[in-house]
Amino acid sequence: LICNACSWLAEDPGVDVNWQNIQIMNKSGEKIYALEFMFKDSTLLTPQYVFEVFGGKLLIETENDSSFIGKIPIPDNELQANDKYQVIIFKQSTLDKYSKEEIIKQNIFDKRYELSYNELKKMNFKITYSGN
């Protein structure tokens, strides 16, 4: 019993066993701004959510040839495994070209990924944004 308790305490306290890291690589040739989110329903992550609901404060700035780490909950069942993890991306050139109002009104963004846990698993939990 004492050995089991000691081995449990010796585990890395920074490891979160309920979440899976996802690496999002920027290979677009320019800086990007991204937001990752997972809704419990079929809601789409839109520019309106990014700038009006979240205030644009959650955007992750990522230089070209760099990456950031997102997280997805490890599902307990098949129904949860089909929930969609979403990433919406805006290139620097898009944000320079359009105002936030235009982006919201015209629903402008450069890329949106909608992937389930199983789809991400097949991709080794890596997404590469090429700018297309």
Side-chain angles (χ1 to χ4, degrees):
L1 180 64
I2 291 173
C3 289
N4 285 341
C6 290
S7 66
W8 176 74
L9 289 172
E11 289 181 14
D12 183 356
V15 174
D16 189 351
V17 295
N18 298 319
W19 295 87
Q20 171 64 51
N21 287 343
I22 301 166
Q23 182 181 23
I24 296 97
M25 295 286 305
N26 176 15
K27 295 289 187 181
S28 69
E30 64 181 285
K31 188 184 300 184
I32 62 168
Y33 296 85
L35 186 122
E36 53 143 2
F37 203 78
M38 192 166 183
F39 292 102
K40 295 281 184 195
D41 55 23
S42 60
T43 302
L44 287 177
L45 185 54
T46 65
Q48 183 176 13
Y49 271 100
V50 172
F51 294 109
E52 289 183 350
V53 177
F54 300 125
K57 296 176 185 172
L58 300 177
L59 284 171
I60 302 164
E61 180 180 319
T62 307
E63 297 290 335
N64 184 49
D65 287 328
S66 295
S67 64
F68 70 92
I69 302 297
K71 288 186 179 266
I72 187 171
I74 297 172
D76 292 330
N77 56 55
E78 197 57 37
L79 185 63
Q80 288 178 350
N82 290 322
D83 289 344
K84 297 296 184 183
Y85 171 79
Q86 297 181 56
V87 179
I88 191 167
I89 296 174
F90 303 90
K91 293 191 291 190
Q92 180 68 59
S93 58
T94 300
L95 296 177
D96 291 344
K97 184 176 181 179
Y98 301 100
S99 69
K100 286 181 185 176
E101 293 78 18
E102 289 173 304
I103 289 171
I104 293 166
K105 185 177 180 180
Q106 297 176 37
N107 199 37
I108 298 169
F109 56 91
D110 291 294
K111 184 74 173 181
R112 179 176 45 224
Y113 295 94
E114 302 169 58
L115 301 162
S116 70
Y117 182 87
N118 290 332
E119 290 169 323
L120 287 162
K121 188 175 183 178
K122 288 178 186 174
M123 300 166 62
N124 294 320
F125 300 101
K126 293 180 182 178
I127 298 171
T128 301
Y129 174 63
S130 65
N132 299 329

